[in-house]
Amino acid sequence: MAEPSYRARAWASTMSGHPSDGGVIRCHTDSGARLEAGPVVDRQVREDREASTLRPGATLAHGAGNRAIPEAPDPRRTCFERDRDRIVHSTAFRRLAGKTQVVVHPTDHQRTRLTHALEVAQVARSIAAGIGANVTLADAMALGHDCGHGPGGHASEEAFDAFLPEGFDHAVWGADVALVSLNLCAETLDAIRNHSWSRPAPRTVEGEIVSFADRIAYCAHDLEDAQRAGIVTIAELSAQVREVVGDSRRSQLSTLINSVIDTSCATGQVAMGAEAGQALAGMRQFNYERIYTRPESRAQSAAVIEVLRGLVDYYLEHLELVPQEFLSTSADRVHQVVAYVAGMTDQFAFSCAEQLLGWDRARLPRGLGRGF
């Protein structure tokens, strides 16, 4: 067996860290970073800071938060910090890495549903900080807002609609099914449930910030992905829109974020200026016509719908293949099977279609490269 490399030996030598004065352990032998010793900045201190620094109307953290199942307060974290942590460590959030944003099987540089959530969170934090709202709450809402998405993007909603009398809305599903085991605060769940503009308005300032952040983020990054794939060029976007928001994702995000901050601070409502709002609408209309509903995208959606409906039908006939965690004593097996299939990543769903339904791989949705 070959001797371990120098790098491997150096890494192994740090197994126990580096002892320092007072019997404590540090990461580095030459650590020079210091801060003044003092009391722990615990939950109560953080709550007091929120109350003294956030703009009136912002949502304040209190104790354990308003949860469906009462909990004791965490001694160190605010209730919204706990929500954010629970979402980040959840299975539903991790699976977003394997779920479609626009294109199935994206290339290294195209967005997944996970990277979309991270970009929405960045936009939401920027807006919340600029208007004096609760940044932590906005962050938690944004990270969790798409956890209800099924495999294959929005096409999954149409696929699952066929099985549920109430229909399948990813926003509602995220709050009421995918994340329900986390026992999140009512404010966080409300924003996740209602982030789509066609839903009722969220009850909090932070929730409305996330509604704007979601649209700003996907209009900018879906356009960038389509440009990189060679589907569109920025010159094809109307001159009026480009004059307002610019030609790059950076300028587009900056313009739209600052418009929400400036307008919200001036009016006292979460809003965007008319000029920026028209530009955002122009970007979304362009994406809708040139990206989301182009023939290749419609073909991708049709294949996703057929796969997912086939899987639900199959599992309803073979319940023994559904993991027991999804099969409670409830008689609503359809809902339980939809929950199982909706939680799948794209790759797992398509692999199941091959193995269980006998699908020819050539018929399955594929990463379409320059065809998007």
Side-chain angles (χ1 to χ4, degrees):
M1 180 181 294
E3 287 293 320
S5 68
Y6 167 77
R7 182 178 291 104
R9 293 195 303 273
W11 179 81
S13 71
T14 67
M15 202 69 69
S16 299
H18 301 287
S20 182
D21 295 342
V24 300
I25 302 298
R26 296 185 303 178
C27 304
H28 304 277
T29 56
D30 58 348
S31 172
R34 296 290 185 274
L35 77 164
E36 183 178 337
V40 171
V41 182
D42 61 13
R43 174 183 53 79
Q44 188 60 61
V45 173
R46 299 182 201 184
E47 289 178 0
D48 292 344
R49 287 180 178 178
E50 284 187 359
S52 65
T53 60
L54 297 187
R55 189 184 296 265
T59 307
L60 301 178
H62 295 290
N66 180 19
R67 304 182 189 276
I69 302 174
E71 300 182 12
D74 188 278
R76 299 290 172 87
R77 296 172 296 165
T78 70
C79 57
F80 300 138
E81 289 172 341
R82 294 177 85 183
D83 278 5
R84 184 195 181 280
D85 294 347
R86 291 178 185 187
I87 291 168
V88 167
H89 290 282
S90 70
T91 301
F93 182 74
R94 289 197 304 277
R95 285 176 177 161
L96 295 180
K99 295 194 178 189
T100 300
Q101 170 58 21
V102 173
V103 60
V104 174
H105 301 314
T107 66
D108 289 348
H109 295 151
Q110 291 166 344
R111 270 75 174 186
T112 64
R113 191 63 60 176
L114 177 64
T115 55
H116 163 68
L118 295 173
E119 292 184 46
V120 174
Q122 180 275 314
V123 174
R125 290 194 305 270
S126 294
I127 295 174
I131 70 175
N134 194 315
V135 174
T136 301
L137 175 57
D139 195 28
M141 292 168 165
L143 291 171
H145 84 284
D146 266 357
C147 283
H149 259 294
H154 282 281
S156 65
E157 294 179 301
E158 185 174 345
F160 299 137
D161 277 345
F163 300 97
L164 304 173
E166 71 277 17
F168 184 97
D169 183 313
H170 77 278
V172 178
W173 192 267
D176 297 347
V177 180
L179 296 175
V180 70
S181 64
L182 304 186
N183 196 34
L184 301 175
C185 293
E187 295 87 348
T188 306
L189 291 172
D190 170 66
I192 292 170
R193 187 181 296 112
N194 295 311
H195 70 270
S196 298
W197 288 27
S198 57
R199 294 281 304 163
R203 297 194 300 266
T204 62
V205 166
E206 292 78 9
E208 293 207 20
I209 287 172
V210 171
S211 294
F212 261 119
D214 181 34
R215 183 162 293 191
I216 290 170
Y218 75 67
C219 282
H221 67 51
D222 289 354
L223 176 58
E224 182 180 60
D225 278 353
Q227 290 176 253
R228 286 179 170 174
I231 304 307
V232 299
T233 66
I234 194 63
E236 295 173 276
L237 187 63
S238 77
Q240 293 87 346
V241 171
R242 288 186 286 118
E243 185 176 348
V244 175
V245 299
D247 290 345
S248 69
R249 173 183 44 83
R250 174 181 290 183
S251 66
Q252 292 156 6
L253 291 177
S254 177
T255 299
L256 297 170
I257 289 170
N258 287 330
S259 179
V260 176
I261 293 173
D262 294 342
T263 306
S264 301
C265 289
T267 66
Q269 54 187 325
V270 181
M272 177 180 283
E275 184 179 55
Q278 290 170 1
L280 179 62
M283 292 175 68
R284 188 170 186 262
Q285 182 69 28
F286 179 82
N287 288 1
Y288 183 83
E289 294 174 354
R290 298 296 305 278
I291 304 171
Y292 310 142
T293 61
R294 65 194 301 267
E296 292 85 353
S297 296
R298 291 199 300 270
Q300 174 180 284
S301 295
V304 166
I305 291 167
E306 190 174 354
V307 164
L308 297 183
R309 287 181 178 175
L311 286 175
V312 173
D313 285 334
Y314 185 88
Y315 283 115
L316 285 171
E317 295 178 1
H318 300 83
L319 288 174
E320 70 279 5
L321 298 179
V322 179
Q324 198 60 40
E325 63 188 273
F326 290 91
L327 298 178
S328 67
T329 56
S330 166
D332 190 356
R333 294 303 189 207
V334 174
H335 190 277
Q336 293 166 5
V337 169
V338 169
Y340 175 52
V341 178
M344 293 178 174
T345 62
D346 297 354
Q347 185 60 58
F348 185 63
F350 302 151
S351 295
C352 287
E354 283 189 82
Q355 297 167 13
L356 303 178
L357 307 181
W359 269 61
D360 184 337
R361 180 171 298 190
R363 294 180 59 209
L364 291 167
R366 292 173 294 169
L368 300 177
R370 293 181 65 83
F372 216 61

